[in-house]
Amino acid sequence: LGGAREAAVEPAEEAALLVVVTRLDRLEQHGIKLMAEREIERQLVVGHQVFERALESNRRQLVQAAQVLAADWGFREAMGSRDSGTLSSALENHATRINASLATLVSLEGNVLAATGTNARVGERYQHAALLDQADDSDRVTLITYENGRVVELVMVPVRAPLPVAW
């Protein structure tokens, strides 16, 4: 009658089988690693795109808010006084209205006329005065920089009466 026979596996065959299984395991691990790296790379690209869109949206909102305030009749009237206290008060009120953490009013020559939320002092050269060269060719200039221990996005727009009188 029938009987079962145990298959005998030679030690060399057993070692070869172990090598094949080990190699397959390594290939599987390598494949998983490659898939994970590709997914991470894809997620980083998507995250970068989302971040860039958010920055651009924030930049547009800041520019629009700054343009509205720079065109404000009361603010331009305060500009006419050239009184640093009046200018600082008006600037602080306007910065609060647009939820800006800092605001600086800069003369066309690059000197600080008024400032709030920053270490800039009235009469001193504005630390980002080099932006004025770019601003001359545009109705706005934006810059992400480090100021007062934090990263900020600066937006410069002209204050017109009707020609530019300050930034």
Side-chain angles (χ1 to χ4, degrees):
L1 292 157
R5 275 187 29 203
E6 211 174 279
V9 178
E10 296 292 320
E13 290 175 340
E14 189 175 321
L17 184 60
L18 183 59
V19 168
V20 169
V21 170
T22 301
R23 284 188 180 162
L24 286 175
D25 187 48
R26 286 185 184 159
L27 282 173
E28 181 182 24
Q29 288 176 2
H30 181 70
I32 291 170
K33 181 182 174 193
L34 284 176
M35 286 176 30
E37 287 172 351
R38 286 183 187 138
E39 180 62 18
I40 289 168
E41 185 176 324
R42 189 186 73 72
Q43 290 291 332
L44 286 172
V45 167
V46 169
H48 175 77
Q49 291 169 340
V50 169
F51 183 70
E52 285 292 326
R53 285 188 203 121
L55 276 177
E56 183 56 35
S57 175
N58 187 56
R59 184 175 297 120
R60 279 194 307 270
Q61 289 174 354
L62 285 171
V63 166
Q64 185 178 22
Q67 287 171 331
V68 167
L69 294 180
D72 181 76
W73 184 84
F75 186 70
R76 288 185 295 148
E77 190 71 22
M79 280 288 306
S81 75
R82 291 289 181 168
D83 176 64
S84 64
T86 302
L87 286 173
S88 292
S89 176
L91 189 64
E92 187 172 349
N93 288 336
H94 285 325
T96 301
R97 282 175 49 191
I98 65 170
N99 199 26
S101 58
L102 61 92
T104 308
L105 182 64
V106 181
S107 72
L108 296 177
E109 296 78 31
N111 297 321
V112 176
L113 299 173
T116 183
T118 180
N119 294 332
R121 298 202 191 289
V122 173
E124 291 181 353
R125 184 93 173 134
Y126 181 54
Q127 70 177 350
H128 302 291
L131 288 176
L132 294 175
D133 294 335
Q134 294 175 25
D136 288 341
D137 299 332
S138 174
D139 277 347
R140 66 181 171 272
V141 176
T142 62
L143 169 72
I144 295 177
T145 187
Y146 188 77
E147 188 168 315
N148 292 338
R150 60 186 180 221
V151 176
V152 295
E153 183 165 20
L154 299 178
V155 173
M156 292 180 69
V157 298
V159 178
R160 300 180 189 276
L163 297 174
V165 293
W167 290 92

